[in-house]
């Protein structure tokens, strides 16, 4: 399952994302916070709809809020530990996404504090996400204003300007094409570029300046022995994906990039659903408490697409895109709750609100807010870069949060009843 998600992300999802970024002229952090976050968070969107319209419970709330700490600390740890190169980070994108996520979490917690969701509350959640998208549309101008305003009194802004001026080049997505030298810069006029040129992200990651060369077939046998073994083992998956998803890296299917993006997101959701189902069956068989499963295996299972996508781009040196996907996917998860809530309360069941269970929200709120603060401080103290040191720090923080959460859910800390899977 993990291998299947990796193949979908590496061969179809991320390439389609790069062409979308090319068409819209998106910077890497904006692309990570929008399209990449939306695609990799497709399982959470499906879960939210299932919770509202099928199971009619709070499964969507518990799954999304329960996996939020893993999304922030666990995936950050994976990016740092499994990345073979140091990635520089910009101050503004991380601050922007952390602030948006904090506001979103506060809004959701305020809405479900009385165990009822009204149509105007869910509409306000969509409005918050709309404001977030609006900020992204004017991201460059806001960034330039903040740089000029706060650079004299904030050293991180000054360092960010200096590093962005001489930013490390992004290494090409395909190793055989050689490194593609292209300066990372956030000095464009806005989210949509005025010049008819390829976006920095797509040009640097996929070598679109060499677009005359067609991409090698997915059935090309790798030269390295280990890669060859993995290729043979994954050949059935590769064949199935090849027959169902147009490969937009090839000239013939290039204009089908939106179809590639949507189908790959659907495949990610389907694979994640099967993965979560297998984890749930294992938990019921072993008698693991439901709360422990939700905080550990299920949280990691639903976040597999985010983990794989973030690690893949971090290994290519695109730190801003990885971090924006990590935090931006959590912001999108809040939207996942707003969409089905609004549809049901405004169009289907207009007579009354949606009933949800808000038990244990105090601890959840503290955990989420603390995780956002800790990840921002960890990146700042680490010199605004993703490396193995940051990965180790995030891993330790995640383990601490997880242990405390499990102790709380088991009733060892506080007073909380324990439920076992299947009961």
């Amino acid at each position: 399952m993990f291998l299947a998600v990796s193949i979908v992300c590496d061969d179809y999802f991320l390439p389609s994302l790069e062409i979308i970024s090319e068409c819209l002229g998106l910077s890497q952090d904006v692309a990570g916070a929008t399209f990449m976050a939306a695609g990799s968070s497709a399982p959470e969107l499906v879960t939210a709809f299932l919770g509202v319209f099928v199971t009619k419970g709070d499964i969507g709330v518990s799954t999304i809020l329960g996996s939020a700490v893993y999304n922030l600390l666990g995936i950050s740890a994976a990016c740092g530990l499994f990345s073979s190169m140091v990635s520089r980070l910009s101050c503004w994108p991380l601050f922007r996404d952390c602030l948006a996520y904090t506001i979103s979490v506060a809004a959701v917690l305020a809405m479900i504090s009385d165990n009822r969701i009204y149509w105007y509350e869910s509409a306000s959640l969509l409005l918050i996400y709309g404001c977030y998208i609006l900020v992204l549309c004017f991201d460059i101008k806001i960034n330039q204003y903040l740089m000029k305003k706060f650079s004299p009194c904030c050293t991180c802004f000054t360092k960010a300007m200096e590093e962005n001026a001489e930013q490390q080049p992004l290494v090409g997505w395909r190793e055989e094409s050689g490194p593609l030298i292209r300066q990372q810069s956030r000095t464009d006029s806005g989210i949509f570029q005025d010049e008819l040129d390829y976006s920095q992200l797509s040009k640097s990651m996929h070598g679109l300046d060499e677009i005359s060369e067609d991409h090698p077939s997915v059935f090309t046998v790798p030269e390295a022995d280990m890669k060859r073994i993995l290729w043979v083992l994954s050949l059935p998956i590769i064949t199935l994906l090849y027959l169902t998803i147009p490969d937009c890296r090839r000239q013939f299917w290039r204009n089908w990039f939106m179809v590639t993006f949507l189908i790959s997101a659907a495949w990610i959701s389907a694979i994640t659903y099967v993965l979560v189902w297998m984890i749930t069956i294992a938990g019921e068989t072993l008698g693991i408490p439901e709360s422990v499963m939700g905080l550990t295996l299920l949280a990691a299972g639903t976040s597999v697409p985010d983990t794989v996508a973030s690690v893949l781009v971090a290994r290519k040196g695109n730190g801003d895109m990885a971090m924006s996907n990590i935090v931006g996917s959590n912001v999108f998860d809040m939207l996942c709750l707003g969409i089905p809530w609004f549809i049901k309360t405004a169009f289907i069941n207009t007579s009354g609100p949606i009933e949800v269970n808000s038990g244990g929200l105090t601890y959840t709120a503290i955990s989420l807010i603390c995780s956002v603060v800790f990840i921002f401080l960890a990146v700042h103290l680490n010199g605004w870069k993703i490396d193995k040191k940051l990965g180790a720090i995030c891993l330790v923080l995640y383990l601490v949060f997880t242990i405390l959460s499990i102790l709380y859910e088991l009733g060892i800390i506080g007073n909380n009843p324990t439920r076992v899977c299947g009961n």
Side-chain angles (χ1 to χ4, degrees), residues 5-6 9-10 13-14 17 28 32-33 36-37 40-41 70-72 74-85 87 173 205 303-330 386:
V5 173
S6 177
C9 290
D10 200 14
F13 178 67
L14 291 179
L17 175 68
Q28 59 168 299
M36 187 176 181
S40 59
S41 296
Y70 172 81
N71 289 349
L72 289 171
I75 301 179
S76 297
C79 289
L81 295 175
F82 295 115
S83 179
S84 57
M85 63 185 302
S87 302
W173 187 269
M205 293 180 69
S303 299
V304 165
D306 292 312
T307 306
V308 173
S310 297
V311 170
L312 286 175
V313 295
R315 289 175 65 89
K316 304 300 178 181
N318 303 308
D320 283 336
M321 187 176 189
M323 292 303 297
S324 293
N325 176 56
I326 292 171
V327 186
S329 62
N330 283 340
I386 299 179

Side-chain angles (χ1 to χ4, degrees), residues 273-291:
Y273 175 83
V274 175
L275 180 62
V276 171
W277 172 76
M278 293 170 61
I279 293 174
T280 304
I281 296 299
E284 294 179 358
T285 304
L286 299 175
I288 300 176
E290 185 182 54
S291 56

Side-chain angles (χ1 to χ4, degrees), residues 140-160:
I140 300 298
K141 293 182 179 180
I142 297 175
N143 179 39
Q144 291 175 340
Y145 173 79
L146 293 177
M147 288 286 188
K148 295 178 181 179
K149 190 75 173 178
F150 295 103
S151 57
C153 58
C154 186
T155 56
C156 69
F157 278 105
T158 305
K159 290 180 180 179

Side-chain angles (χ1 to χ4, degrees), residues 368-379:
L368 294 177
I369 294 175
C370 288
S371 62
V372 173
V373 174
F374 281 158
I375 190 65
F376 190 85
L377 290 178
V379 171

Side-chain angles (χ1 to χ4, degrees), residues 339-351:
I339 293 178
W341 284 348
F342 182 75
I343 292 176
K344 185 169 184 178
T345 55
F347 301 104
I348 298 178
N349 185 18
T350 59
S351 59

Side-chain angles (χ1 to χ4, degrees), residues 340-409:
W341 284 348
F342 182 75
I343 292 176
K344 185 169 184 178
T345 55
F347 301 104
I348 298 178
N349 185 18
T350 59
S351 59
I354 298 176
E355 299 289 338
V356 295
N357 180 18
S358 61
L361 285 181
T362 302
Y363 182 79
T364 302
I366 295 175
S367 299
L368 294 177
I369 294 175
C370 288
S371 62
V372 173
V373 174
F374 281 158
I375 190 65
F376 190 85
L377 290 178
V379 171
H380 177 70
L381 296 177
N382 196 50
W384 295 96
K385 59 181 181 290
I386 299 179
D387 55 10
K388 297 188 182 302
K389 179 182 177 182
L390 178 65
I393 293 174
C394 292
L395 180 60
V396 171
L397 290 175
Y398 173 66
L399 292 177
V400 171
F401 272 113
T402 304
I403 292 173
L404 291 177
S405 300
I406 291 175
L407 293 177
Y408 174 80
E409 293 292 341

